[in-house]
Amino acid sequence: MLNIFKTIVTKLGGIDTSESNHIDTYTEEKINTTEGTKIASSKNNGGIWISFQELAGYEYMNITVIGANNMKNFNGCILNFMNNETISLQLNSDTREIESNFSNVSNRWITDISFDITNSNIDVIKNNTASYIKLEYKKKFEIFDILKP
């Protein structure tokens, strides 16, 4: 019924306000001005950006994932730093509810996730010993190649 009403309004010269025609400048601006350091990239012009912060004596790593997949999950995710098929570091997200935002301008998804980490985890990440990152959520995963300095 709502679709019929939108069609009639559009035909009479009204504005089509459906989401598919909406230009999402907010999400696109967030994608273009991602905070942190880019540590990994994907073949779809995406990647992983990280930043570290300390809150109440605990260390956190915040990541921003820009990719081709929508991550909607209430059980968190797992971030694996991999060498060949061997896991050099595995982190479980502190963020349990994960939801991506879509930009119809660049046709990509942006997702913010937080991880509780230790100083030794930070050293492994900064030493960049892994060759790729595997981000697992639900029964899906996305692969990102680590950028070498």
Side-chain angles (χ1 to χ4, degrees):
M1 181 72 174
L2 187 58
N3 287 336
I4 294 170
F5 179 70
K6 282 184 182 180
T7 304
I8 292 170
V9 169
T10 304
K11 296 284 184 192
L12 293 174
I15 298 172
D16 185 0
T17 59
S18 62
E19 279 192 41
S20 63
N21 290 329
H22 175 70
I23 303 295
D24 186 2
T25 55
Y26 174 77
T27 305
E28 188 62 23
E29 180 65 23
K30 194 172 175 185
I31 287 173
N32 291 331
T33 58
T34 304
E35 293 181 13
T37 305
K38 186 173 183 179
I39 64 163
S41 66
S42 64
K43 54 187 160 193
N44 64 358
N45 200 20
I48 296 178
W49 283 257
I50 65 167
S51 63
F52 298 100
Q53 78 180 86
E54 181 184 340
L55 291 171
Y58 294 99
E59 295 287 335
Y60 290 93
M61 179 177 72
N62 299 313
I63 70 169
T64 300
V65 179
I66 297 175
N69 297 325
N70 178 14
M71 290 185 259
K72 187 165 184 164
N73 190 355
F74 295 103
N75 297 320
C77 68
I78 298 171
L79 192 66
N80 292 314
F81 289 81
M82 310 282 292
N83 282 321
N84 298 325
E85 294 298 316
T86 307
I87 298 173
S88 61
L89 177 64
Q90 183 175 37
L91 299 171
N92 292 318
S93 67
D94 187 52
T95 307
R96 303 313 301 161
E97 183 178 340
I98 298 170
E99 186 170 1
S100 300
N101 293 311
F102 182 69
S103 172
N104 58 3
V105 176
S106 61
N107 199 29
R108 295 183 290 175
W109 296 89
I110 184 168
T111 312
D112 294 318
I113 308 168
S114 181
F115 295 85
D116 185 13
I117 60 173
T118 64
N119 286 332
S120 61
N121 296 140
I122 293 172
D123 291 338
V124 169
I125 294 166
K126 286 186 176 179
N127 288 337
N128 220 359
T129 58
S131 57
Y132 66 96
I133 296 174
K134 183 177 182 181
L135 179 63
E136 299 179 41
Y137 53 97
K138 288 188 177 180
K139 294 183 181 185
K140 301 176 185 176
F141 66 89
E142 200 167 346
I143 301 289
F144 297 89
D145 296 319
I146 292 187
L147 301 173
K148 300 294 181 187

